[in-house]
């Protein structure tokens, strides 16, 4: 399907994509570049990439598909450094967890080649980052959200859909705005709250004593607070408008509960708790997710 | 060890206690009372209790151990209704999730018999309430927190410790104040936040669309929001002072994160996220809990 993949960022996400593409027979050659030369070398030694490129620009020379798998905050600089070797028929994708900012960055920096860009967010990952954890199965049975814009080439969008299907992913299409609003609500806000809850405890003198008594409910509630700080710094800053709006909505809901508690209004409190409990009881993990 | 258990409240917690006591050979006879006569009858049919009592007072007639396993909010009324048949050598316990309020209720209503009361909080439960789910293993390998006060009889406290040990529980002792502060931080606040997070989403027009995209992180974060509304109404109201103090501490921690996000201060944000991630990564579920 493709001759040459230009891979910029040979970490967990990018490396797994290269391995999956190779295993599926979807690409003949992978040319890779990572900011750290030792990562690029490691990727070649592991067979994740075939050729090491000395720069992002040279990594895409001759490529008919390019994957930018760098932190969201580094996406625009990457676009700028590769735009001189783009062609209108190159499929360019990212793997970022927020989409409005990268779409704007693409329009600013890619200009006439913004049509190449099919913004992608694969809902996949591992607790451990780095090319050494790259896995050809990472995207299998996972959701991949594509957020094309008005300028996105329909032909390249179709190619992107076919490619992810061929890797065993479930493809969903949304606007960048829908994507960022949705994930602010169901992913970014829960992470923000879990981080805040951990800090609220550890800021207290008795924090360690409290934590020694915490049980299974606490364990599950705070699991996502162990996530990678630099990844989440980028996501929170990149999606700040939607995230802060969701945080406001949350604080209103918390305020309503606190008001009922402060005034001792058991009836109002029970009603609010029933709303939450009923919503959560009826919710089930979509079959789009496997775990 | 005991001749007769007077059980007030023959639900999941009380019924499981009766079954565990019987199986361990720690009691000869169980006389039970529940507010709903059909529950009391069911408990007798199931062999959870041996004799149905027509009132709480008659349930404790002749008992040398009494367990009050009613909602926290009903504890004081129960104490009032039984105090006329208490003796100084009767071991009286509850199973409530908050302790300061029941200790005060005991001092107000039991008066000279307040020495009998050994406040207990077994950290155990099931998603399904009711005597039909009573289980002789419910307290096995679980923590039971005893919160004696200055007036608690040392002899009865020792009996209570021996009893829970004999049921396979791990006994921990705290003051009522320590107990309520600890559980406000590690249990009541997480529940409050999870309830608020569910309501914040379902209050929005796009709530259902958002929820359809939620994944495993959201599932774990909100699991406790499916908890029983009436149980949590009582806990929140009973422990409101400590809970609201923890909620304030949480809101300060959230505010610090929001300030870093709003000002785009990536360094400050990363530092706060690292604090949370490091704390959570180093925390492990104590061996006092089994799941």
């Amino acid at each position: 399907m493709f001759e040459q993949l230009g891979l910029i960022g040979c970490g967990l996400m990018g490396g797994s994509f290269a391995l999956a593409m190779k295993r599926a027979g979807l690409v003949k050659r992978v040319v890779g570049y990572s900011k750290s030369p030792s990562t690029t070398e490691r990727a070649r030694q592991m067979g994740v990439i075939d050729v090491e490129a000395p720069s992002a620009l040279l990594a895409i020379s001759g490529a008919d598909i390019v994957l930018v798998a760098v932190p969201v905050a580094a996406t625009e600089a990457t676009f700028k450094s590769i735009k001189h070797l783009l062609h209108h028929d190159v499929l360019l994708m990212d793997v970022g967890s927020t989409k409005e900012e990268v779409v704007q960055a693409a329009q600013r920096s890619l200009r006439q080649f913004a049509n190449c860009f099919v913004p992608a967010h694969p809902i996949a990952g591992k607790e451990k980052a780095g090319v050494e954890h790259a896995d050809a199965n990472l995207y299998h049975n996972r959701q991949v959200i594509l957020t094309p814009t008005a300028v996105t080439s329909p032909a390249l969008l179709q190619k992107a859909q076919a490619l992810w299907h061929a890797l065993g992913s479930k493809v969903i299409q949304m606007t960048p705005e829908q994507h960022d609003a949705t994930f602010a609500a169901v992913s970014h806000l829960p992470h923000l709250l879990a981080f805040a809850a951990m800090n609220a405890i550890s800021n207290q003198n008795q924090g360690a004593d409290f934590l020694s008594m915490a049980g299974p409910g606490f364990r599950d509630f705070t699991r996502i607070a162990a996530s990678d700080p630099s990844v989440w710094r980028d996501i929170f800053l990149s999606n700040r408008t939607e995230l802060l709006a969701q945080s406001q909505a949350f604080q209103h809901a918390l305020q309503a509960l606190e008001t009922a508690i402060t005034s001792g209004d058991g009836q109002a409190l029970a009603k609010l708790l029933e709303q939450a409990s009923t919503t959560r009881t009826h919710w089930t993990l979509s079959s789009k997710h496997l775990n």
Side-chain angles (χ1 to χ4, degrees), chain A residues 144-286:
Chain A
V144 173
I145 299 163
L146 303 180
T147 66
T149 68
V151 304
T152 306
S153 152
L156 291 176
L157 173 59
Q158 213 163 17
K159 268 195 180 179
Q161 284 170 324
L163 177 167
W164 287 107
H165 275 140
L167 297 186
S169 309
K170 300 169 193 246
V171 180
I172 294 171
Q173 202 171 306
M174 299 187 179
T175 67
E177 294 75 20
Q178 275 177 325
H179 172 281
D180 285 5
T182 301
F183 286 89
V186 301
S187 171
H188 308 170
L189 179 70
H191 278 79
L192 181 69
L193 302 178
F195 285 123
M198 284 311 300
N199 284 353
I201 292 188
S202 67
N203 286 342
Q204 296 177 54
N205 291 333
Q206 293 182 275
D209 291 341
F210 290 165
L211 286 173
S212 74
M213 295 299 298
F218 180 87
R219 175 196 59 198
D220 292 354
F221 179 76
T222 58
R223 182 174 64 77
I224 51 179
S227 303
D228 185 325
S230 63
V231 167
W232 285 92
R233 175 200 57 203
D234 285 3
I235 292 172
F236 289 169
L237 292 177
S238 172
N239 200 22
R240 73 180 85 176
T241 310
E242 294 289 355
L243 174 59
L244 293 171
Q246 288 298 329
S247 185
Q248 279 308 304
F250 165 79
Q251 287 171 60
H252 285 139
L254 179 59
Q255 192 58 59
L257 285 159
E258 285 195 341
T259 301
I261 292 168
T262 305
S263 61
D265 186 344
Q267 216 170 350
L269 181 56
K271 213 176 145 191
L272 292 168
L273 299 180
E274 273 155 25
Q275 181 195 342
S277 179
T278 303
T279 308
R280 180 57 180 78
T281 303
H282 290 158
W283 177 81
T284 46
L285 192 65
S286 158

Side-chain angles (χ1 to χ4, degrees), chain A residues 57-74:
Chain A
L57 182 64
L58 289 173
I60 79 152
S61 175
D64 50 353
I65 173 170
V66 172
L67 189 77
V68 172
V70 301
V72 168

